[in-house]
Amino acid sequence: MAQTQTLLKSGQELRSIQILRGVAAMLVVCRHVSLEFDDRSLFGEMPFGAIGVDIFFPISGMVIYLTAPSLIWKQFLIRRISRVAPMYWLATITKVIAVTLIPAGVAAYGFDAWHLLASLFFIPATDAGGRPFPPIALGWTLNFEMYFYLLSTVMLAVFPSRFGLALSAAICAGVAAGIALSQHNSLLLLLLHPISLEFAMGIAIASLWTRGVRTSVWLNVLLVGVALLVIAHFPNVEMFDPLRPLKWGLPSALIIWSVVMLEGTTLVSRFPAGKILGDASYSIYIIHPLVLPVLAPIVIRLIEPTDGGVFFLLFASAVLCGLVVHVLVERRINRFFRSRFVRAGRSRNVRREAHGEVG
């Protein structure tokens, strides 16, 4: 426990979690690359790649549990918004401009001012096809992330000493309310979908880990084996399947736990590529839907689409673009917002504490 607290206070990060973030982003990219081939890819449509989302959500629960209690609620909310929103806004506006300038894209997107505005504020809204997706379709996951951040903000303000327990209870209460109100046709109720239970799974993992609970190597191997068997039994889970937390969420949580048990080992510490991909995972996740529709038609025309090399070429190109955007754009955006908002908020809090206004 003391080692954990020292790690968190020093501002360091769990390398195992960063590696898992990279893996999750890679899985989602594989899924979307496969969709560019219709049924011509040697690898099929790879529906299981969408499980990357079910890895991201528990990781988010872990990170928030480990970091939020050291902040007051205003600091927490500013940090989360400044970390997630600017890149997403940039990618969304880029997508809307692109499809507006390309006539074929207008028909595919069906520009709507309310849909764009709702998307930028992480409010579920239906697109021209009646689907609950923002301009960048995978932005639906960020709607759930922002819902989780808002719950976290409230719990941090009201129950700071029981943050993890209160937050988990709030998530479960939200899911129960969503089930009870399922007959009502409201998109906002979509945020109460059972998939949000995956955040609570991450909270449970982090809580056990900080309390010093550890499992043996053989048990971890067994847990991963069980998780993979469950995933193999459910290789294709619908996006809003109410049982998704059981079919994919729980197996993902078991894998996350087993990998976290490797924290500090040579296997994790000597895997710099995993750390790099983890750092860039958000950019890879956000940018690849913009890159693939441009690159895929060109590459597929030049090379036989059933060639496995085409798949890997598109995959590598999407990942490389995400890495470049991370280095050239995301880092700069993060530095800008940290200097303008996060540090300013910290300075104001220090001054308020000096005058007895906080705590």
Side-chain angles (χ1 to χ4, degrees):
M1 180 68 175
Q3 181 182 3
T4 301
Q5 294 301 326
T6 301
L7 174 69
L8 298 177
K9 287 181 180 180
S10 65
Q12 297 178 6
E13 58 195 2
L14 298 178
R15 188 175 286 259
S16 56
I17 290 302
Q18 286 302 94
I19 292 173
L20 281 170
R21 277 175 165 159
V23 170
M26 300 302 101
L27 286 169
V28 174
V29 173
C30 284
R31 165 61 172 164
H32 291 155
V33 170
S34 69
L35 294 177
E36 296 293 335
F37 291 87
D38 299 323
D39 58 351
R40 296 173 292 173
S41 171
L42 290 176
F43 305 98
E45 292 188 354
M46 301 183 70
F48 59 87
I51 202 172
V53 172
D54 304 86
I55 296 174
F56 274 128
F57 282 1
I59 287 177
S60 184
M62 284 191 66
V63 170
I64 296 309
Y65 177 86
L66 293 172
T67 60
S70 64
L71 306 169
I72 64 171
W73 69 268
K74 290 181 181 179
Q75 287 177 314
F76 170 79
L77 187 60
I78 291 173
R79 289 189 180 196
R80 287 294 90 201
I81 292 176
S82 63
R83 175 68 181 88
V84 173
M87 272 295 296
Y88 178 64
W89 290 337
L90 178 62
T92 297
I93 293 171
T94 300
K95 168 71 177 290
V96 171
I97 292 175
V99 298
T100 302
L101 295 178
I102 302 172
V106 175
Y109 170 57
F111 176 79
D112 178 79
W114 161 246
H115 180 250
L116 173 60
L117 187 63
S119 300
L120 294 176
F121 282 91
F122 303 96
I123 300 172
T126 53
D127 60 14
R131 303 169 304 172
F133 301 137
I136 296 180
L138 53 71
W140 70 269
T141 63
L142 297 182
N143 292 343
F144 279 94
E145 285 280 356
M146 200 57 65
Y147 163 71
F148 175 55
Y149 296 158
L150 288 176
L151 277 184
S152 301
T153 301
V154 173
M155 295 305 108
L156 193 58
V158 180
F159 303 106
S161 62
R162 293 289 184 268
F163 173 70
L165 181 61
L167 181 53
S168 298
I171 292 170
C172 293
V175 171
I179 294 173
L181 300 173
S182 58
Q183 69 275 14
H184 296 279
N185 187 21
S186 172
L187 274 179
L188 284 178
L189 292 178
L190 182 64
L191 296 176
L192 304 180
H193 188 276
I195 198 173
S196 62
L197 291 172
E198 295 179 2
F199 295 113
M201 293 179 189
I203 293 172
I205 293 172
S207 178
L208 292 172
W209 186 76
T210 56
R211 284 168 171 74
V213 177
R214 300 293 185 267
T215 48
S216 66
V217 173
W218 294 111
L219 179 56
N220 295 331
V221 171
L222 178 62
L223 292 177
V224 171
V226 170
L228 293 177
L229 285 175
V230 174
I231 294 169
H233 186 70
F234 300 106
N236 189 359
V237 176
E238 294 295 326
M239 187 174 299
F240 296 114
D241 183 343
L243 295 180
R244 181 166 177 167
L246 292 177
K247 295 176 179 178
W248 278 1
L250 189 56
S252 297
L254 293 178
I255 293 172
I256 291 169
W257 172 266
S258 300
V259 173
V260 170
M261 290 300 99
L262 296 173
E263 184 67 29
T265 65
T266 301
L267 183 63
V268 170
S269 61
R270 293 188 179 180
F271 186 37
K275 170 68 165 56
I276 293 170
L277 290 173
D279 291 345
S281 60
Y282 186 53
S283 287
I284 294 170
Y285 187 73
I286 291 295
I287 294 301
H288 82 268
L290 301 180
V291 173
L292 287 176
V294 177
L295 291 180
I298 299 172
V299 174
I300 291 175
R301 285 194 190 98
L302 294 176
I303 308 175
E304 176 58 40
T306 56
D307 183 355
V310 181
F311 183 96
F312 289 110
L313 178 60
L314 285 176
F315 172 81
S317 299
V319 171
L320 180 60
C321 288
L323 287 168
V324 170
V325 170
H326 169 68
V327 172
L328 299 182
V329 181
E330 184 186 6
R331 283 181 177 178
R332 287 180 167 84
I333 288 177
N334 289 341
R335 281 198 297 267
F336 173 81
F337 278 90
R338 279 200 303 268
S339 63
R340 296 297 179 88
F341 297 104
V342 176
R343 291 177 184 172
R346 186 187 302 121
S347 298
R348 286 194 296 270
N349 291 327
V350 170
R351 289 195 297 270
R352 289 173 60 193
E353 288 176 355
H355 289 83
E357 298 176 29
V358 175

